[in-house]
Amino acid sequence: MAIGYVYKEVVPCTAMVVVEFSNVVVSILYKAASTKGLSYYVFIAYIYALGTFIFLPLAYLFNRKTVLPPSKFPLISRICLLGLIGYLGLVCSYKGIELGSPTLASAISNLTPVFTFILAVLFRMEKVAFRSASTQAKIIGTIVSISGAFVIIFYKGPKVISSPTGTSSSVSLQRHLGSSQSNWIIGGLLEIAAYLLFSFWYIIQAQVMKIYPEEIVVSFFYNLSVTLISLLACLLAEPNLSSWRLPSSVAVVAVLYSGVLGSSFSSAVHTWGVRLKGPVFVAIFRPTSIVIAVVMSAIFLGEAMYLGSVIGAVILITGLYAVLWGKAKEEEMTDDDSGSSTLGSVSGGTVPLLQSHKVEQM
């Protein structure tokens, strides 16, 4: 009895918080490595090449009896499109972190379920009944969340929490990482573009999983496609081979950590969490990344917390939970009507609206 409770309740909660912590660490490591000269083109290429090598033996071990994906154009084209959209989203996200901050990226990432809901409605994958309380909650929550994101981007405000200045190295790093108002706005807009692309990624992922429902094999081919695309982009954007060298020990740690824990670990845990507890449960933990990012950025990057980020985050999270409430009510209504919940089921043809994506997951 106690063991069952721990497995079903304690372990999933702990795992979700650990994943959010890991994702924030990826953002902070990249931010620190970028100040040492690490290009985001090279960073993406390295971490996805590492992820490909990790998923290759896993795909063999866990799917030895599974046939390889059928060589059909609909599947191959969608996996290639997954790789392209994922790569473009990663470029926007890491450039946004470079211009802004990990805290900014963590706040904007909460728009993912909102964007996915909008896209699902546009692609007629989500039913909208305007007189339904759940639909009204989702629409109002969507508007509120987007408003909160724009508050974070366009209103920085005074400092609420000053950065630690106990050491000269912390002061130096803070000056180096300090973002001007224009960079902050551009970084925020890039993060919005990134998470809009990631929402498109969820839509296409749902179609891929309908055709070939093998998560590990699909993850391997996705990582492989991103690796090939990123290598080509690196050759065009970074023709000088010296830029492929990792310029510091921080860059080496960032690549190794992001390749192993940032993408592979997060992807596996989120897949397990959705299967065990459902997509709503996984999405509920997204706002914890803001708190983690604020604390860790202040400690390790010497960043300050601004009033605009606090106000915008509160507005955004309020809207997010309105969307989550609407989805939960919709699940209850579906269960009552049909006796089986199909929300968030890829095999049932429904988009995983509330899955959490991270720079580091793809």
Side-chain angles (χ1 to χ4, degrees), residues 68-109:
L68 290 175
S71 300
K72 296 181 180 179
F73 180 75
L75 178 60
I76 296 174
S77 62
R78 281 173 172 80
I79 291 179
C80 292
L81 188 58
L82 268 182
L84 179 60
I85 292 177
Y87 176 75
L88 293 175
L90 288 164
V91 169
C92 291
S93 181
Y94 284 121
K95 185 63 179 177
I97 292 173
E98 190 176 297
L99 294 174
S101 72
T103 304
L104 176 64
S106 296
I108 300 299
S109 70

Side-chain angles (χ1 to χ4, degrees), residues 33-44:
S34 66
T35 65
K36 304 293 185 180
L38 178 63
S39 166
Y40 53 89
Y41 292 109
V42 175
F43 180 69
I44 295 172

Side-chain angles (χ1 to χ4, degrees), residues 79 82 208-209 212 214-223:
I79 291 179
L82 268 182
V208 170
M209 297 306 295
Y212 187 73
E214 297 292 339
E215 291 87 351
I216 295 180
V217 177
V218 170
S219 296
F220 165 71
F221 282 104
Y222 167 70
N223 275 265

Side-chain angles (χ1 to χ4, degrees), residues 133-135 137-138 321-331:
S134 61
T135 298
K138 289 187 290 184
Y321 277 109
V323 175
L324 294 175
W325 181 86
K327 293 301 296 180
K329 293 295 290 184
E330 198 172 74
E331 281 185 340

